Amino acid sequence: MNPNDIIIASGTPAFEGYSESIDWYDKDFYKEYGVYVKPQLYTLSSRKIDSLLQISELQRYYQCNPVHFIDDMFSIDLLDSQALAIQRSWICPNVLIVATRGWGKSTVIDLGLMAKGMLFTNYWAYIASGTGSQAETTFNTLERLANDNIETFSGSTGKIFKNEIEIKNASGDGFSHSSNGFSYHLYNGAATKTLNSNIDAKRGERGSVVFDESGFLSEEMINVYSAFAIVNKSLKTGRDGSGKKIDPIRQRCFPTNIPNQKFFISSASSTDTKFYKLYREYAKNQIMGDPSYCVLHIDCELAFAPTLHGELIAPLLERKTVRDEMRTNPEKARREYYCQFTTEAGSDAIIRRGVITRNEEIRKPLLYNDTGDKKFVITYDPARLRDNSVILVCEIYDAPLPNGDTEKQMRIVNCINLMDVGKKIKSPMQTPDQVKYLKQVILDYNGGADAYGNILGVYIDAGSGGAGVNIADYLMEDWKDAAGIVHRGLIDKEYSAEYVKKYPNAVDKVHLMSPSAYKSEMYESLIELVNQDKVKFTAAYDNKGYLTVFDINEKQLASEKEKIRKELLAQKLDEKEFEAKLNERLGQIQNVKQKTIKLDWQDELALSNIDALKEEAINMVRKKRESGKDSFELTPEKANILHDDRAYCLAMAGYALMQERRKNITKRKPSTDMDDLVKQLTIRKGNLRSSF
């Protein structure tokens, strides 16, 4: 029995008659313990009553002291800053925490949810994120806590929490991993579920909402999910099991519950986000003394010197990590480590952060052609001073369409800053070294195909003070790799027509892209394709050295979904009931498996550089020109902070993808079906005119 639901009865004369019992209850029990006494159900001994009162008293203590509860029940010693965050936010309806990466945001979220679920009956909570994977990652941390599977928490006792989880089938452990969301239920009616960007499927839910990485959520998502927490949980109306009305006297006898919360937690975002607006609003209300608002700001300096019971302990975050990030991607470092809200390109931005975020995937970078048959484009921007020469590798693949057809889409699989690589391999990466490295990259992704058959194109910036053209000259001649194997050269037969006869064995795979001729078209192609969700990025990397990936068994899901649909169709439900039951049944399918992928230094460099690429892209703006060919450049305030080489490589890749998509269109056979042709014609309907 959960102590919050304690019902005490007695057969003693003091309980004969409802009014007598209420008077006795108010005097001796309610004021001291807050325990509801329902008379004349069954007899309890004085010893049993005393034990239940002690449990109730203990529960009341822990409901007010969650840090002690976490320590006593889970054997987890929170850092002083984490303890402060949990205690300050415990019963506050509106919470916003801006925290550095590496501080333990997931730990604070999960331990808070675990404690509240055990201490308060029917406590429903949701974890919301822009992508299901982020919410699932936070949920996964909670699951690992319950299974005592986190190395930093030596001697923790998550078993106590796990024993409270309701196990609904013999083969499971109470944690549900469905493509519809992750969830668990406790025996006391409490539950936690994950939410994603599929907003329409979740409208009408009620409970507390944790907005994980809320700095990168859409305003619509925040507004819709915030409505979950509006309901006043203290109000009780209607009748009890015996049919008696719940009058005001009995209303105050019911156990009080924690208020629904809106709990926003994230690293800092840009100043044009909903999260920043809430940060300003909540901070003002807190400063004015409103106890229903709590704002905490925890930057990396605290993570450099964390304390436990007032004593300094080993740092949670190395200064070197932040310094490296400040050099590679200063904008991201200021937001994610120093918790500084940054400005972006504003209304002139060619690509919005939200567009990139919705196209992010948690996956490992691809360092070579792992299957031998994947197709790639490689773009290369040799910087004038060799300080930021960049190679970008993108996979071009056939994505299925709803009608059964396919279309060409692109995923970013690797981004290489040759300066970083040079430092790692102790090479200054002068032009000959860059050429050698570029050739090896081409071989790695070609995967042994004849005539570079898996390389759709090598796109090289022909500007850069002529550096790109010089690089291309080095590629024309046949060459030997480190193993002594001879490989054919590569050439741009159109740009370098005068060299075709000199190097007849060279394969026409190089495309020298002159900025004056192609820059505008490249960026226009990129803008169109990114906004149409045709370009996929890796998810933001948190420097942990590993990735947690969730794999969905698509075949099982499709099979089960079709089976459920047939069963529900047979019941002849209306549309609303059908969708509700379908989502409910899909949520019960255990078709998601998780795995942890360890990363090496090349993986980490790739993910960091892709993050830097995204940062450059969202800070590029369009400048109108009378010629019609607009220019694209970094915002003036970012021009001295960021490079644009990665964004330029991305633009070349966007152009390459557009060319591949056009090839597909031209290869399609024209339809001979006259009805189909008629359907494609644009026919204007006449306007019906009336004199009345």
Side-chain angles (χ1 to χ4, degrees), residues 424-438:
K424 205 72 182 180
I425 64 177
K426 313 297 183 191
S427 171
M429 283 302 219
Q430 300 296 321
T431 296
D433 296 312
Q434 290 195 32
V435 172
K436 184 179 178 181
Y437 196 90
L438 175 62

Side-chain angles (χ1 to χ4, degrees), residues 327-513:
R327 179 181 56 78
T328 304
N329 193 345
E331 282 289 288
K332 180 173 179 260
R334 280 195 291 271
R335 285 198 313 272
E336 297 191 350
Y337 295 107
Y338 288 98
C339 298
Q340 298 175 6
F341 290 87
T342 59
T343 58
E344 291 183 358
S347 59
D348 293 328
I350 61 173
I351 297 170
R352 310 295 295 181
R353 184 182 297 278
V355 176
I356 289 179
T357 301
R358 74 172 182 243
N359 286 290
E360 288 182 338
E361 305 167 333
I362 298 179
R363 53 178 164 83
K364 186 180 177 185
L366 195 60
L367 304 180
Y368 59 94
N369 198 329
D370 57 340
T371 63
D373 59 359
K374 291 178 178 176
K375 309 295 183 183
F376 299 92
V377 294
I378 297 171
T379 64
Y380 175 44
D381 183 4
R384 289 183 178 85
L385 302 176
R386 297 186 296 276
D387 63 338
N388 206 48
S389 296
V390 173
I391 298 174
L392 181 67
V393 185
C394 304
E395 181 191 352
I396 307 295
Y397 62 98
D398 292 316
L401 296 173
N403 63 0
D405 291 339
T406 62
E407 67 170 7
K408 298 294 182 184
Q409 294 189 13
M410 180 172 77
R411 58 170 67 95
I412 314 299
V413 299
N414 198 0
C415 186
I416 306 160
N417 184 320
L418 293 181
M419 181 175 65
D420 291 338
V421 174
K423 287 183 177 181
K424 205 72 182 180
I425 64 177
K426 313 297 183 191
S427 171
M429 283 302 219
Q430 300 296 321
T431 296
D433 296 312
Q434 290 195 32
V435 172
K436 184 179 178 181
Y437 196 90
L438 175 62
K439 287 178 176 178
Q440 187 58 50
V441 169
I442 293 170
L443 288 184
D444 289 341
Y445 289 96
N446 183 49
D450 293 336
Y452 305 102
N454 287 329
I455 305 298
L456 298 175
V458 180
Y459 293 76
I460 301 175
D461 176 25
S464 304
V469 177
N470 294 335
I471 294 285
D473 291 344
Y474 286 107
L475 298 176
M476 297 179 191
E477 191 174 4
D478 291 357
W479 56 282
K480 289 183 181 179
D481 62 19
I485 300 171
V486 177
H487 300 277
R488 296 170 66 178
L490 300 103
I491 193 173
D492 183 342
K493 289 186 176 182
E494 183 179 350
Y495 195 99
S496 306
E498 68 272 24
Y499 290 96
V500 172
K501 289 184 178 180
K502 186 177 180 180
Y503 301 102
N505 202 37
V507 183
D508 189 18
K509 290 284 182 177
V510 174
H511 303 274
L512 285 162
M513 309 298 293

Side-chain angles (χ1 to χ4, degrees), residues 23-24 43 51 71 107 124-125 130 284 294 296 366 432-433 478 501 520 524 557 569 591 600 633 639 646:
D23 292 339
W24 188 86
T43 302
S51 68
D71 188 3
T107 300
W124 279 61
K284 287 177 182 178
C294 170
L296 299 175
L366 195 60
D433 296 312
D478 291 357
K501 289 184 178 180
S520 178
E524 295 290 2
L557 178 61
L569 286 170
N591 64 326
D600 61 21
E633 55 196 57
R646 299 177 185 86

Side-chain angles (χ1 to χ4, degrees), residues 106-115 127 138-139 141-142 145:
S106 294
T107 300
V108 169
I109 293 170
D110 294 332
L111 288 175
L113 291 174
M114 292 164 68
I127 305 172
T138 302
F139 187 98
T141 304
L142 188 151
L145 283 166

Side-chain angles (χ1 to χ4, degrees), residues 160-208:
I160 293 175
F161 173 78
K162 194 171 181 180
N163 286 341
E164 296 296 316
I165 295 177
E166 184 180 357
I167 300 175
K168 297 183 178 182
N169 60 73
S171 61
D173 61 354
F175 291 105
S176 173
H177 303 135
S178 165
S179 56
N180 226 29
F182 290 10
S183 65
Y184 65 81
H185 291 76
L186 303 187
Y187 287 111
N188 68 354
T192 295
K193 297 180 178 182
T194 63
L195 302 169
N196 55 33
S197 56
N198 187 9
I199 299 171
D200 292 331
K202 302 296 182 182
R203 294 180 188 269
E205 301 280 359
R206 294 292 180 265
S208 295

Side-chain angles (χ1 to χ4, degrees), residues 573-629:
L573 305 169
D574 61 43
E575 186 177 349
K576 191 174 181 180
E577 286 179 310
F578 181 88
E579 288 298 326
K581 289 199 174 188
L582 178 63
N583 286 322
E584 182 184 354
R585 294 280 297 278
L586 289 175
Q588 298 169 1
I589 302 173
Q590 305 292 297
N591 64 326
V592 180
K593 292 184 178 180
Q594 64 184 52
K595 60 180 179 181
T596 301
I597 302 173
K598 188 167 176 59
L599 305 174
D600 61 21
W601 68 268
Q602 289 176 297
D603 295 322
E604 294 196 83
L605 279 180
L607 290 173
S608 295
N609 275 294
I610 294 173
D611 282 349
L613 175 150
K614 291 183 284 186
E615 205 66 43
E616 291 178 13
I618 63 174
N619 281 288
M620 297 292 292
V621 295
R622 180 193 297 271
K623 298 291 184 181
K624 290 288 185 180
R625 286 181 173 176
E626 292 183 2
S627 64
K629 283 189 175 182

